[in-house]
């Protein structure tokens, strides 16, 4: 879920409450607070805690809550995760691959195990395009033996990677991290998506996924085809720029970012406006 800001840059908790309500009303099973789309790198720790806490409060038990509490510092990831645990109401934590410092396999293993030992269920987040490092398959296998490591979000852009995981861990939950790859990933064993597009079309994304999980790929492909251009155009600029631009065009958000993120250029904004219009969203 994207984090809304007021003019001037403060977190807009009124808009946050509206976003949570729209996701719940759209029938999502879970809401991920302060992930990549939530502009986690630019929130300070107090804001980070409050966005998670308010998301839990606003959801009122009507959706599972995944708290984005990852970091490239194990101590910071532990601190953020402990805060989420202390609030009560968080159902899992999303733990990104430590970025920039690019730890070796043993470092990755120890990092994720340290967080998992805190007791909150962990969703690993494999996103080498952002982290500069993937979680090697053999490390995923070792981590999956921990009872609190329950799933992995695969955002490497690879359907083959899902097959590789399910080949060695047939009962381990894999979630797509790419809206446009959700259907092919489900076809080889993924069980859902942590979605950017759901900020805009929560009910439609949920319907597409549920149809695919039931094996009705004909109807699921109709959703995919209708919203493919949205899936594509949400990434013509770095996430979460385009999803927040779309929410602004829909009248849901102020057009506010925190540097180094900023507004997109006029051509990309016009493309998003065209896509939202052609898909019937605006």
């Amino acid at each position: 879920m994207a984090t809304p800001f007021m003019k001037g840059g403060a977190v807009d908790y009124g808009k946050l409450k509206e976003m949570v309500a729209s996701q719940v009303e759209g029938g999502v099973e879970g809401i991920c607070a302060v992930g990549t789309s939530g502009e986690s790198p630019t929130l300070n720790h107090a804001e980070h805690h409050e966005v998670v806490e308010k998301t839990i409060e606003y959801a009122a038990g009507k959706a599972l809550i995944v708290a984005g509490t990852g970091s490239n510092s194990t101590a910071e990831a532990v601190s953020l995760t402990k805060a989420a645990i202390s609030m009560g109401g968080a159902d899992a934590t999303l733990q990104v691959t430590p970025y920039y410092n690019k730890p070796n396999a043993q470092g990755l293993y120890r990092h994720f195990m340290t967080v998992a030992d805190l007791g909150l269920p962990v969703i690993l987040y494999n996103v080498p395009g952002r982290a500069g490092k993937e979680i090697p398959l053999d490390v995923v296998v070792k981590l999956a033996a921990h009872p609190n490591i329950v799933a992995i979000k695969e955002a490497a852009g690879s359907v083959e990677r899902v097959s590789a995981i399910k080949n060695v861990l047939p009962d381990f939950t894999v979630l797509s991290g790419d809206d446009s790859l959700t259907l092919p990933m489900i076809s080889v064993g993924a069980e859902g998506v942590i979605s950017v597009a759901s900020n805009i079309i929560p009910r439609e994304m949920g319907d597409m996924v549920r149809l695919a999980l039931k094996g009705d790929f004909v109807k699921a492909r109709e959703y995919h085809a209708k919203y493919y251009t949205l899936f594509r155009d949400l990434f013509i600029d770095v996430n979460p720029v385009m999803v927040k631009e779309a929410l602004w065009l829909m009248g849901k958000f102020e057009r506010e970012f925190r540097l180094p993120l900023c507004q997109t250029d006029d051509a990309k904004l016009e493309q998003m406006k065209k896509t939202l219009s052609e898909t019937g969203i605006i």
Side-chain angles (χ1 to χ4, degrees), residues 98-161:
Y99 41 87
Y100 188 76
N101 44 20
K102 299 169 72 173
N104 62 26
Q106 181 65 8
L108 286 171
Y109 176 75
R110 291 172 61 182
H111 170 85
F112 289 120
M113 289 291 282
T114 299
V115 176
D117 284 342
L118 298 175
L120 191 63
V122 171
I123 301 172
L124 306 172
Y125 182 9
N126 185 50
V127 59
R130 285 185 179 271
K133 182 91 177 181
E134 86 166 2
I135 308 172
L137 184 59
D138 61 334
V139 175
V140 175
V141 172
K142 288 174 64 180
L143 290 170
H146 195 295
N148 290 333
I149 296 179
V150 298
I152 187 166
K153 175 185 176 182
E154 274 298 323
S158 170
V159 177
E160 193 277 335
R161 165 91 174 181

Side-chain angles (χ1 to χ4, degrees), residues 59-281:
K62 296 176 182 176
L64 299 173
I65 304 298
V66 177
T69 60
S71 174
N72 64 339
S73 161
T74 304
E76 184 175 38
V78 166
S79 175
L80 292 169
T81 304
K82 282 183 174 179
I85 292 170
S86 70
M87 294 168 196
D91 297 284
T93 169
L94 183 65
Q95 287 291 320
V96 68
T97 315
Y99 41 87
Y100 188 76
N101 44 20
K102 299 169 72 173
N104 62 26
Q106 181 65 8
L108 286 171
Y109 176 75
R110 291 172 61 182
H111 170 85
F112 289 120
M113 289 291 282
T114 299
V115 176
D117 284 342
L118 298 175
L120 191 63
V122 171
I123 301 172
L124 306 172
Y125 182 9
N126 185 50
V127 59
R130 285 185 179 271
K133 182 91 177 181
E134 86 166 2
I135 308 172
L137 184 59
D138 61 334
V139 175
V140 175
V141 172
K142 288 174 64 180
L143 290 170
H146 195 295
N148 290 333
I149 296 179
V150 298
I152 187 166
K153 175 185 176 182
E154 274 298 323
S158 170
V159 177
E160 193 277 335
R161 165 91 174 181
V162 179
S163 294
I165 293 169
K166 298 300 284 188
N167 182 55
V168 292
L169 295 169
D171 298 323
F172 192 61
T173 298
V174 179
L175 301 169
S176 172
D178 297 290
D179 290 309
S180 64
L181 291 181
T182 299
L183 281 195
M185 284 186 172
I186 289 175
S187 76
V188 296
E191 295 179 54
V193 58
I194 296 180
S195 173
V196 177
S198 181
N199 281 280
I200 299 165
I201 50 167
R203 184 167 301 282
E204 293 82 354
M205 284 302 300
D207 288 347
M208 183 184 79
V209 169
R210 284 183 282 270
L211 284 165
L213 290 173
K214 289 192 299 185
D216 191 345
F217 282 91
V218 173
K219 287 185 180 176
R221 278 197 302 270
E222 292 176 4
Y223 281 93
H224 176 88
K226 179 174 180 179
Y227 294 109
Y228 166 71
T229 55
L230 176 65
F231 301 159
R232 179 196 67 198
D233 290 351
L234 285 171
F235 291 90
I236 54 176
D237 204 333
V238 68
N239 187 46
V241 168
M242 294 313 300
V243 69
K244 292 189 80 172
E245 295 284 27
L247 289 163
W248 173 69
L249 288 166
M250 295 167 69
K252 293 179 178 288
F253 273 27
E254 296 287 350
R255 198 182 182 196
E256 287 290 327
F257 301 86
R258 287 183 179 176
L259 289 171
L261 296 181
C262 63
Q263 298 173 357
T264 197
D265 61 55
D266 290 345
K268 291 185 179 71
L269 185 66
E270 189 60 32
Q271 183 172 334
M272 177 54 74
K273 186 176 181 179
K274 180 173 180 284
T275 294
L276 292 174
S277 177
E278 289 178 346
T279 52
I281 295 169

Side-chain angles (χ1 to χ4, degrees), residues 4 11-18 46-47 50-51 54 58:
V11 176
D12 188 334
Y13 291 101
K15 294 291 187 186
L16 184 75
K17 186 174 185 178
E18 292 173 8
E47 291 170 329
E50 190 166 9
V51 170
K54 290 295 187 184
Y58 299 153

